[in-house]
Every structure is written in C-alpha cells, then in structure tokens.
Amino acid sequence: MRLLIGIILLSWFSLAEAQQISVKTFRKLENDLSARTENRLDQNGDVCALIKVVVPEQGFYFDGDGNGIVTVERKIGEYWVFIPYGSRYLTVKHDNLGVLRAYAYPERIEKACVYELVLTTGRVHTVVEEAELQSGWLILQSEPSGADVYLDDKLQGTTPFQKKLLLGKYRYRLELPLYHSAAGVVELTEGGRQQLSVPLSPAFGYVTVRTEPEMGAEIMVDGEESGLKTNATTARLSSGVHRITVKLDMYQPQVKEVEVKDGDTTVVAFTMQPNFAELSLSAPDSAELYIDGMFVGKGKYRGRLMEGLHDLEARQASHRSDKRQELISAGKSVEMILRPRPIYGKLDVITTPMDAEVWIDNRPYGKTPLTVTDLLIGNREVELRKQGYASVRRTVKIEENKLQTLQETLSSGRSVTLQTDREGDILYVDGKRVGVSPQKLELSYGVHTIRAERGEQHTEKELEVTETGGESVVTLGFGLLSGIRWSSSVTPKQKEILSRLVGNMVQVEGGRFQMGGTPEQGSDANDWEKPVHEVTLSDYYMGKYEVRQSEWEAVMGNNPSYFKGDDLPVENVSWEDCHEFIGRLNALTGLSFKLPTEAQWEYAARGGSLSKGYKFSGSNDLEEVGWYGSNSGNYTHRVGEKQPNELGLYDMSGNVWEWCEDWYGDYSSDSQSDPIGAVSGSFRVYRGGSRNSGARLCRVSYRLYNAPNRRNSFLGFRLVCSFPTFRS
C-alpha cells in the first residue's frame, strides 16, 4: 500500500514536534455594534474598526500594518483589537506557539465595523499513514450572501463558502439574521465537486407609520427609539408582532401592536388626540403678553396651550397689569382680551421767560406756566420751545397721584464743545482766545468764526449757532481732518464716527526699504516672498486700526461680520466690498481713501523709517502684538488691545487678514518706486495673518491671495490715504 505523509493536528503520538498558529475563520459581524458603543478613535479622529480575535488560550501579542494598532483589550476567550479603518494585515505572536506573520484580511476593513477572527493552534506531527484519503470540494452560495454555514451542526464559515472535505454525506444549514434558515443534505462522491446555490427567504418586513392630523411624531418600536418621525417606514423588523408607539408634542401618545409578515410592508395609521387648546389673546399693541410668567409677544398672541390651569397676564408701561387665571380644556378654542389700567400723576411747568411751548413725549400740551394732569407715570421727555431761545429737554419722573414741578430758565444761546484731534491746541472764537482743546462753552445764536492754532499752523471755520439744532461738538482739523469736505447728505452720527476714523489715520513718512523674505524672517520665508528687492515709497497716511464694524455700518448701513461688536474689526468682506465702502466713504468726506498697495502695507508693518527689523509687526514676540491661533480663542478681538508697532499701528500681525490693492504676482529683483503690483491677474493679495493663523503666517513679509469676490470671517482691511495739501 502506498505511504502518505500527513499532517495531523493535536495528536497525542508524535515522531517530530513543532508549534503553529493559523486562522480558522474570518468574517464580518454585521449586527455587532461593539465598535460604535466602545467609540475608540484613531489618530485622525475616526471611529476604529474592532477585530474580535477568538483564541484557544491566552498569551497572544498583536502587531498591525503601517496604520498601527490603537489598543488591545483582553476579554474572556478572546482579544479585542482596535485598528484604524483601511488596515490591511495583522501579525499574531505567542511565546510558545510561534508567529502568524502578516495575515492579510480577506475583505476591506471599514470604520466602526466589527469582525471575528478565529485562531487555531496545535502541535504539528509527521506520521506515516498507510491509507490515501479520498476528498472533494463543497461550494455553498446564498442569496443574500454572508450566511453562517453549519456542517453536521458545526459552524464552518460564511457564504460564499468553499472547503475540501472527505467524501460522504453532510447535513448543511445556512443561517442569516432576519432570514429563515435553509437546510438539507449534500453528498460528496468520487470525482468530487459539489456546488449549491441556496436562496434565503426573508424573515422580516417593514411598517409604514402615519399620523394625522399632523406628521412629525416620534416613532418607537418595541420601546426603542427608531430615530424616525411620521410619516415614515421603519427599517427591517423581524417577522412577528411588534409594538409601535408614536409621540408628538401636545398630543397624547398612542400605541398599537402590528403583525409584520415575511417580505411585506404593513401600514399602521394613528389619529392623534390633542392635549391642548387653541388660545387667542388680545391687548393694546404696546402691552407685553405673558403665559405662566413667560413672555410670548406684544399686543396679540395665538397659539397652543396644554390642558390645565394657566396664568395669563398683559403688562404695559405706566399701567396696572391685567392678570387672570384660566382653566384650559383640551380641544377647545379660547379667546380673551386683556386690558391693563393706566396710572396717572401731575406736572407743573414754569419757565423764564413765560409763554414757552410745552411738548411732552413729542406731543404739544400748551404754553407755560402750565399744569398737566392725567400724565402716565414713568419717565417723560419734556421739551420747552420759544422763538429766539435755545430749546430745553428734560426727563421728568411722574409718580402716581403726585404733583411734580419743572422750572427752567431758557437760554438765548447754545452749549457747544470745540475740539481738535489733539489736546492742548489753542482755540479762538471771533478773534478772542477761549482756552485750549477740548473746550465747552455757551455761544449766542448767529455766525461765529472758530480758529485753532498749533505752533505755526492754524485752521479755522465758520459756525452757525441756531436754536433749532446743529453741531454740539465742533472738530477743527489739522492734517487729514483739515481736508474733509463733508457731503450735504452726511448725518451727525456719520460725521461723529467718520471724524474719528479720519483722526486715527497715522502719517507714514516715505522712504526706502528691502521688501520680501529678508534675513530676520529666517527659514520661515517662502519662495513666493522672494527675491528680496528694494522699494522706495512716497509719504502717505495709514489707518491706526483695522476698519471697525461701527465705521462700516455708518457708511454701508449693514454689518456683514460673523463676530459682532462696534469696535471689532469688520470681516466677512470681499475685495470688491471694500472698494464699494471706499467709494461711499470718499463721497461722504471728500478725501481720497484707498486700499494699501502691498508695498505700502509691508513698509508700514515693518515700522517704516522707524523700523527695528522685527519678524512680526512691532515685535519678535507675536504674543505682544497679535491675536493669532494660539491666543485668540478663534474669535476676533477689539482693535488696539495689543501693543502697536514702531509707527503706532495696531494689529498688523493677526486679528484679521487685510486686503491689499494689488493683483497677486511674482516679485521682481529690480528696484521700484511706489509699485502697484502685477498689471493683471485672477487673485488679489491680502496680508498680516488672522485669529486662526499660525505664527509663521503673521510675519511682515508673508503674502497670501484670494479671489476678489471671496468673503470669510477672517478677512478684513485697513485704509490708506494720499498726503493732502495743508491749509495754514
């Protein structure tokens, strides 16, 4: 008889002995949620896959591929190995049993999925067998695939399944969750290959849940939340009876039992029973309405109210509230009118001279002396008017059943504050010295000549003081302020805000500097910051601060910023938006504002002619001068909170990126005078870094670019203005 050399595992008689580790089965556990519930994250923040390694004994170690292993946990009878998704192989080690090296997973490893790897170990013996074993191949497939394959009641793997077996008969069984098991007998005969394709019948169905008169009810199946709201169809449910619960705010919950049949969709409909009434409240337009102490609107309210006892109230300034308690019944419509009652006091008004008109809260009441009865309590705005005298405005507090007295002497002139953009400038009115800036004084009605002197410079303007209003703060300007020619459409509020903007423009004395990635920028300098080249600039003015939201709103009438605050830099503006702002600003002031050229921006950021050669604008320590990714909290900050640079300019490193006028283009090594950048292009330059930038992006030579119509919450700007012709 022919001799056969065979490999017999776990034999108790041996001629030569060695150890081995091998994989018995590997499969994906579709219904196992362990990876999601454990929620272990890889280095990229993704949920790990979980390999449950079933072992016959303890003492195993595991190595991954280039993606590594996140963690290994020892469990009873198995190890849980958490790996990044996309891992390709696993190495298994044991001090006594040896190494299974670089076992390649037979399918792609997906995030948050669970897999089972069953290991087998044993001693390997070489023995002499006298008989040749007869075998054949059994191939099993199922529709759908992934079914567990049992042969003679022992789990052998999952479909699609192939295995070499001894000839003979085998009882097979295929099992897949939510499908009926399929079983039978298959015989392997000589010549041997037997292939079966087995369709599995669904043991599941679906339920479509509908509610009326409203949809949006939460759906629960067998007491568990489904994550669905009506009208909707559930995921697969095992065949049989299930309990469907629907819950909708202000309706009674409802429950029905539904029989799910194989492969069918069962429709179940609920008619929801309201647990509320429709409530309509009416009161005077200015009255605030409250239900159970919670504000619900002014004047009128219509909405749903849960069944039960409720407190209803209308509150109105200078009135006694109308409060009521109502028992609300479900399914009813309730309409109610609430009327707060007024509370009155009295006021005597006396003026010198007499016969002044009395206006209270912008309504005429007569002439002084005057007694006004039936005035609602609270603070009342009283205005006294008489031809040839300054009007007087006072706030008088009226109290219940009390008589208040207001007595005023009317002035034949008006109080005006005179100031310049610097304290200490000498002020004159009609040729007479009145003090230094700022100075508050009474000016008689009529036209006055106002003059300010600063050394050898002076500026003056005519001021008309009228009883009907006018400027209460008059600013005489040197430098840019002196060049303002206000538009006739400018409002007092615009004038106040824009005067501050103009007054905060800093004179930058022109000069020569080296532009680009100069030595102090070190290894951080990029190729697009080179070559370093010489630039000569003329004098100009630059904004001490980035343009603020209050200034943008004064010109544009809106605020596009993501982070809101009057003194925060405006952001979320494109290069094109900036140009629209500048056009309107120039029309209001008569000045010539622009975006800075890239050269003007870098020269000013370096400190101009006062430069000390810092890496950032004003310091080599970015913490001192800038809000950036490491200290900003990822939001913008009020302008001017950090230290300024050598020219007194703030936030040129960090806070928001700042648009420049130039098209983006490569640098030239040639010396240049007042350069304006590339002649054309697709992108505009911006500079300086922002609240979410790394330190290297906040350097004075770093340059970046974007499309002219691009907006985002880290893009803002500051202004430059050409040197004016001074008056003296």
Side-chain angles (χ1 to χ4, degrees):
M1 178 179 295
R2 187 174 57 182
L3 296 180
L4 173 68
I5 303 300
I7 303 300
I8 308 298
L9 297 178
L10 302 177
S11 176
W12 60 86
F13 53 92
S14 65
L15 300 177
E17 182 174 272
Q19 305 293 332
Q20 76 169 14
I21 305 171
S22 62
V23 174
K24 184 176 182 181
T25 60
F26 184 90
R27 61 172 180 152
K28 184 178 182 180
L29 303 179
E30 297 284 357
N31 298 317
D32 193 327
L33 301 179
S34 303
R36 296 183 183 277
T37 57
E38 292 292 326
N39 197 32
R40 299 297 173 83
L41 305 180
D42 64 16
Q43 63 271 27
N44 296 319
D46 294 314
V47 178
C48 292
L50 169 59
I51 308 293
K52 293 187 175 180
V53 184
V54 181
V55 296
E57 55 185 289
Q58 300 298 324
F60 285 87
Y61 306 90
F62 304 91
D63 285 331
D65 56 13
N67 291 324
I69 289 177
V70 174
T71 188
V72 177
E73 294 186 2
R74 181 174 172 180
K75 304 288 184 179
I76 298 176
E78 61 188 17
Y79 289 86
W80 286 14
V81 182
F82 293 88
I83 61 176
Y85 79 92
S87 296
R88 294 171 295 170
Y89 58 80
L90 183 71
T91 295
V92 183
K93 302 178 182 178
H94 193 284
D95 292 341
N96 298 322
L97 301 176
V99 179
L100 172 61
R101 195 176 307 279
Y103 168 71
Y105 302 118
E107 58 179 282
R108 175 175 171 78
I109 300 301
E110 300 176 351
K111 69 175 68 172
C113 291
V114 182
Y115 304 83
E116 180 187 72
L117 188 152
V118 180
L119 295 179
T120 181
T121 63
R123 298 181 177 88
V124 179
H125 304 274
T126 305
V127 298
V128 178
E129 289 287 340
E130 296 184 355
E132 181 177 359
L133 300 177
Q134 301 296 312
S135 63
W137 285 95
L138 175 60
I139 300 171
L140 288 174
Q141 294 178 313
S142 67
E143 177 56 41
S145 61
D148 289 336
V149 178
Y150 291 84
L151 296 180
D152 294 335
D153 294 326
K154 293 183 179 179
L155 180 64
Q156 299 291 325
T158 58
T159 59
F161 171 83
Q162 57 182 3
K163 189 170 186 178
K164 194 173 186 180
L165 301 169
L166 294 176
L167 300 184
K169 290 186 177 180
Y170 294 89
R171 289 180 289 107
Y172 71 85
R173 185 173 78 255
L174 304 181
E175 292 186 355
L176 184 64
L178 293 177
Y179 286 85
H180 292 290
S181 298
V185 176
V186 62
E187 183 175 4
L188 289 179
T189 58
E190 189 172 354
R193 168 187 163 114
Q194 186 68 266
Q195 181 171 349
L196 296 178
S197 182
V198 182
L200 300 179
S201 299
F204 63 84
Y206 304 89
V207 177
T208 296
V209 186
R210 298 174 179 168
T211 54
E212 59 178 22
E214 295 186 32
M215 298 185 293
E218 296 179 5
I219 300 173
M220 301 181 68
V221 179
D222 298 327
E224 299 290 334
E225 294 181 356
S226 69
L228 299 174
K229 293 186 177 182
T230 59
N231 295 338
T233 300
T234 65
R236 294 176 178 179
L237 298 177
S238 60
S239 298
V241 177
H242 294 273
R243 189 173 73 258
I244 305 298
T245 304
V246 290
K247 295 182 177 180
L248 183 60
D249 188 34
M250 304 197 95
Y251 286 88
Q252 293 287 354
Q254 294 202 34
V255 181
K256 288 186 180 182
E257 289 192 343
V258 180
E259 183 177 1
V260 176
K261 299 180 180 180
D262 293 351
D264 287 348
T265 298
T266 304
V267 178
V268 58
F270 294 86
T271 300
M272 307 300 289
Q273 299 300 315
N275 196 25
F276 62 86
E278 293 283 354
L279 174 65
S280 177
L281 287 180
S282 296
D285 290 343
S286 60
E288 296 179 344
L289 299 175
Y290 292 81
I291 298 177
D292 297 327
M294 182 178 296
F295 175 71
V296 295
K298 280 189 173 185
K300 295 186 182 300
Y301 168 81
R302 187 173 184 83
R304 294 174 174 178
L305 201 59
M306 292 290 286
E307 184 176 58
L309 190 63
H310 295 277
D311 294 323
L312 310 178
E313 181 180 3
R315 304 176 188 173
Q316 188 174 359
S318 306
H319 289 68
R320 285 192 174 85
S321 298
D322 188 355
K323 299 180 181 180
R324 306 187 192 181
Q325 271 195 342
E326 289 292 326
L327 182 62
I328 303 298
S329 300
K332 299 290 184 64
S333 293
V334 179
E335 294 188 2
M336 186 173 297
I337 299 175
L338 300 177
R339 297 184 177 89
R341 289 173 294 141
I343 307 173
Y344 295 116
K346 298 180 181 181
L347 175 65
D348 276 350
V349 186
I350 306 166
T351 63
T352 303
M354 297 183 294
D355 293 326
E357 295 178 4
V358 179
W359 293 69
I360 302 177
D361 295 335
N362 294 320
R363 290 178 50 199
Y365 276 77
K367 292 187 177 182
T368 59
L370 179 69
T371 298
V372 184
T373 60
D374 295 337
L375 269 180
L376 288 173
I377 64 170
N379 290 331
R380 298 284 158 250
E381 295 299 322
V382 181
E383 183 178 5
L384 306 174
R385 305 175 184 174
K386 186 175 178 65
Q387 184 72 27
Y389 291 84
S391 297
V392 173
R393 281 184 170 271
R394 296 289 183 265
T395 299
V396 179
K397 184 177 182 180
I398 304 300
E399 300 182 37
E400 184 177 3
N401 296 326
K402 289 186 178 180
L403 175 63
Q404 305 294 339
T405 300
L406 175 62
Q407 187 165 354
E408 292 289 337
T409 298
L410 305 184
S411 171
S412 59
R414 186 161 58 81
S415 177
V416 177
T417 298
L418 303 181
Q419 64 179 23
T420 65
D421 59 335
R422 181 189 300 175
E423 291 185 4
D425 291 334
I426 302 173
L427 299 174
Y428 296 83
V429 176
D430 298 329
K432 180 180 179 181
R433 178 170 173 165
V434 295
V436 297
S437 174
Q439 188 71 231
K440 185 175 182 179
L441 64 161
E442 251 342 272
L443 293 182
S444 62
Y445 298 129
V447 177
H448 300 274
T449 299
I450 312 298
R451 179 184 176 92
E453 292 183 355
R454 178 185 297 169
E456 295 182 358
Q457 289 185 325
H458 74 269
T459 182
E460 63 182 40
K461 66 187 295 185
E462 288 189 343
L463 172 66
E464 183 178 6
V465 179
T466 67
E467 61 182 288
T468 56
E471 296 177 273
S472 58
V473 177
V474 179
T475 302
L476 293 91
F478 295 88
L480 278 183
L481 282 171
S482 66
I484 293 179
R485 297 295 181 266
W486 293 110
S487 164
S488 59
S489 66
V490 73
T491 66
K493 183 67 172 178
Q494 286 177 313
K495 188 177 291 188
E496 176 186 348
I497 293 173
L498 299 183
S499 293
R500 180 188 67 176
L501 183 152
V502 175
N504 283 330
M505 298 296 289
V506 174
Q507 181 179 335
V508 180
E509 181 181 347
R512 184 180 294 112
F513 78 108
Q514 297 297 309
M515 183 173 178
T518 47
E520 83 284 344
Q521 301 299 303
S523 60
D524 286 340
N526 299 288
D527 290 343
W528 56 88
E529 300 170 41
K530 300 173 182 177
V532 176
H533 52 287
E534 184 177 85
V535 172
T536 302
L537 293 176
S538 304
D539 297 345
Y540 59 98
Y541 280 88
M542 174 169 267
K544 180 187 296 186
Y545 309 112
E546 294 155 329
V547 173
R548 292 180 255 209
Q549 293 175 27
S550 58
E551 294 158 352
W552 179 279
E553 194 162 358
V555 173
M556 303 295 287
N558 60 53
N559 185 355
S561 303
Y562 180 79
F563 300 99
K564 301 292 192 203
D566 284 351
D567 288 329
L568 296 181
V570 67
E571 24 83 3
N572 206 25
V573 291
S574 69
W575 184 93
E576 294 170 350
D577 296 334
C578 296
H579 269 260
E580 183 179 354
F581 170 87
I582 289 169
R584 296 189 186 186
L585 176 62
N586 290 344
L588 288 170
T589 62
L591 296 174
S592 182
F593 289 100
K594 297 178 181 178
L595 287 176
T597 64
E598 193 173 9
Q600 286 175 325
W601 191 96
E602 184 171 325
Y603 179 66
R606 289 175 176 272
S609 61
L610 303 178
S611 176
K612 296 181 180 178
Y614 292 129
K615 188 172 188 177
F616 306 103
S617 183
S619 178
N620 286 325
D621 183 357
L622 185 52
E623 289 285 341
E624 294 179 350
V625 294
W627 296 110
Y628 68 114
S630 296
N631 66 3
S632 70
N634 202 23
Y635 57 87
T636 57
H637 290 255
R638 289 166 51 116
V639 300
E641 289 187 332
K642 289 290 187 177
Q643 293 180 16
N645 75 353
E646 299 93 318
L647 291 174
L649 304 176
Y650 292 84
D651 300 304
M652 294 200 77
S653 287
N655 217 9
V656 292
W657 289 97
E658 299 176 15
W659 283 110
C660 292
E661 182 64 29
D662 309 36
W663 290 111
Y664 177 79
D666 293 335
Y667 281 163
S668 166
S669 59
D670 296 339
S671 297
Q672 302 166 49
S673 294
D674 292 322
I676 59 173
V679 296
S680 63
S682 300
F683 303 100
R684 296 289 184 174
V685 177
Y686 54 83
R687 290 295 208 109
S690 73
R691 59 177 170 82
N692 61 355
S693 298
R696 65 185 302 270
L697 274 64
C698 299
R699 295 177 295 107
V700 293
S701 67
Y702 189 82
R703 56 201 303 250
L704 207 55
Y705 56 87
N706 218 322
N709 61 355
R710 181 66 187 274
R711 304 180 182 95
N712 55 49
S713 62
F714 52 75
L715 261 175
F717 69 108
R718 77 176 67 217
L719 296 168
V720 296
C721 191
S722 57
F723 230 69
T725 300
F726 293 109
R727 295 187 301 166
S728 59

